[in-house]
Short mmCIF file of all heavy atoms in Angstrom, two decimals:
data_model
loop_
_atom_site.label_atom_id
_atom_site.label_comp_id
_atom_site.label_asym_id
_atom_site.label_seq_id
_atom_site.Cartn_x
_atom_site.Cartn_y
_atom_site.Cartn_z
N GLY A 52 -49.52 56.33 -15.32
CA GLY A 52 -48.80 57.50 -15.78
C GLY A 52 -47.55 57.76 -14.96
O GLY A 52 -47.18 56.97 -14.08
N GLN A 70 -42.67 85.19 -14.51
CA GLN A 70 -43.84 84.42 -14.93
C GLN A 70 -43.46 83.44 -16.04
O GLN A 70 -43.96 82.31 -16.09
CB GLN A 70 -44.94 85.37 -15.42
CG GLN A 70 -46.26 84.67 -15.69
CD GLN A 70 -47.38 85.64 -16.02
OE1 GLN A 70 -47.22 86.85 -15.88
NE2 GLN A 70 -48.52 85.12 -16.43
N ASP A 210 -42.59 66.88 9.93
CA ASP A 210 -43.96 66.37 10.05
C ASP A 210 -43.97 64.85 9.82
O ASP A 210 -43.60 64.39 8.73
CB ASP A 210 -44.85 67.04 9.00
CG ASP A 210 -44.51 68.51 8.79
OD1 ASP A 210 -43.35 68.81 8.39
OD2 ASP A 210 -45.39 69.35 9.01
N GLY A 235 -69.87 58.91 -0.19
CA GLY A 235 -70.07 58.63 -1.60
C GLY A 235 -68.79 58.67 -2.40
O GLY A 235 -68.82 58.88 -3.62
N ALA A 258 -52.35 43.98 5.60
CA ALA A 258 -53.56 44.70 5.21
C ALA A 258 -54.44 43.88 4.27
O ALA A 258 -55.66 43.82 4.44
CB ALA A 258 -53.18 46.02 4.55
N HIS A 274 -41.44 53.97 -1.76
CA HIS A 274 -40.33 54.88 -2.01
C HIS A 274 -39.07 54.06 -2.33
O HIS A 274 -39.11 52.84 -2.31
CB HIS A 274 -40.08 55.76 -0.79
CG HIS A 274 -41.25 56.60 -0.39
ND1 HIS A 274 -41.23 57.46 0.70
CD2 HIS A 274 -42.50 56.71 -0.91
CE1 HIS A 274 -42.40 58.06 0.82
NE2 HIS A 274 -43.19 57.61 -0.13
N ASP A 279 -32.97 48.87 -3.89
CA ASP A 279 -33.75 48.36 -5.02
C ASP A 279 -34.98 47.55 -4.60
O ASP A 279 -36.11 47.92 -4.90
CB ASP A 279 -32.87 47.47 -5.91
CG ASP A 279 -31.85 48.26 -6.72
OD1 ASP A 279 -31.95 49.50 -6.75
OD2 ASP A 279 -30.96 47.62 -7.31
N LEU A 296 -49.71 49.04 -7.57
CA LEU A 296 -48.39 49.40 -7.03
C LEU A 296 -47.95 50.72 -7.65
O LEU A 296 -47.82 50.81 -8.88
CB LEU A 296 -47.35 48.32 -7.35
CG LEU A 296 -47.41 47.01 -6.56
CD1 LEU A 296 -46.44 46.01 -7.15
CD2 LEU A 296 -47.09 47.25 -5.10
N GLY A 306 -29.14 67.83 -0.66
CA GLY A 306 -28.99 69.11 -1.35
C GLY A 306 -28.76 68.99 -2.83
O GLY A 306 -28.72 67.88 -3.39
N GLU A 316 -29.02 58.34 -13.95
CA GLU A 316 -28.89 56.89 -14.05
C GLU A 316 -29.60 56.18 -12.90
O GLU A 316 -30.20 55.11 -13.08
CB GLU A 316 -27.42 56.49 -14.08
CG GLU A 316 -26.72 56.94 -15.36
CD GLU A 316 -25.32 56.39 -15.51
OE1 GLU A 316 -24.70 56.05 -14.47
OE2 GLU A 316 -24.85 56.31 -16.65
N TYR A 318 -32.29 57.24 -11.33
CA TYR A 318 -33.71 57.27 -11.64
C TYR A 318 -34.08 56.18 -12.64
O TYR A 318 -35.04 55.43 -12.43
CB TYR A 318 -34.10 58.64 -12.22
CG TYR A 318 -34.52 59.67 -11.18
CD1 TYR A 318 -33.64 60.67 -10.78
CD2 TYR A 318 -35.80 59.67 -10.64
CE1 TYR A 318 -34.01 61.63 -9.84
CE2 TYR A 318 -36.19 60.62 -9.70
CZ TYR A 318 -35.29 61.61 -9.31
OH TYR A 318 -35.67 62.54 -8.39
N ILE A 322 -36.59 53.07 -12.09
CA ILE A 322 -37.85 53.03 -12.84
C ILE A 322 -37.96 51.72 -13.61
O ILE A 322 -39.01 51.06 -13.59
CB ILE A 322 -37.96 54.24 -13.79
CG1 ILE A 322 -38.14 55.53 -12.99
CG2 ILE A 322 -39.13 54.06 -14.76
CD1 ILE A 322 -38.04 56.80 -13.82
N GLY A 324 -36.43 48.82 -13.00
CA GLY A 324 -36.61 47.72 -12.05
C GLY A 324 -38.01 47.66 -11.50
O GLY A 324 -38.59 46.57 -11.34
N ASN A 328 -41.31 44.81 -12.44
CA ASN A 328 -41.83 44.01 -11.33
C ASN A 328 -43.20 44.46 -10.87
O ASN A 328 -43.60 44.22 -9.73
CB ASN A 328 -40.82 44.01 -10.18
CG ASN A 328 -39.60 43.17 -10.49
OD1 ASN A 328 -39.62 41.95 -10.38
ND2 ASN A 328 -38.52 43.83 -10.92
N ALA A 386 -50.77 52.38 -21.48
CA ALA A 386 -49.80 51.48 -22.08
C ALA A 386 -49.73 50.18 -21.29
O ALA A 386 -49.95 50.17 -20.08
CB ALA A 386 -48.42 52.14 -22.15
N LEU A 426 -32.00 44.51 -31.88
CA LEU A 426 -33.42 44.53 -31.53
C LEU A 426 -34.15 43.48 -32.37
O LEU A 426 -33.97 43.44 -33.61
CB LEU A 426 -34.00 45.91 -31.80
CG LEU A 426 -35.49 46.10 -31.47
CD1 LEU A 426 -35.70 46.06 -29.96
CD2 LEU A 426 -35.99 47.43 -32.05
#
Side-chain angles (χ1 to χ4, degrees):
Q70 188 174 351
D210 322 60
H274 301 180
D279 288 349
L296 286 172
E316 292 188 336
Y318 270 102
I322 291 171
N328 287 280
L426 180 69

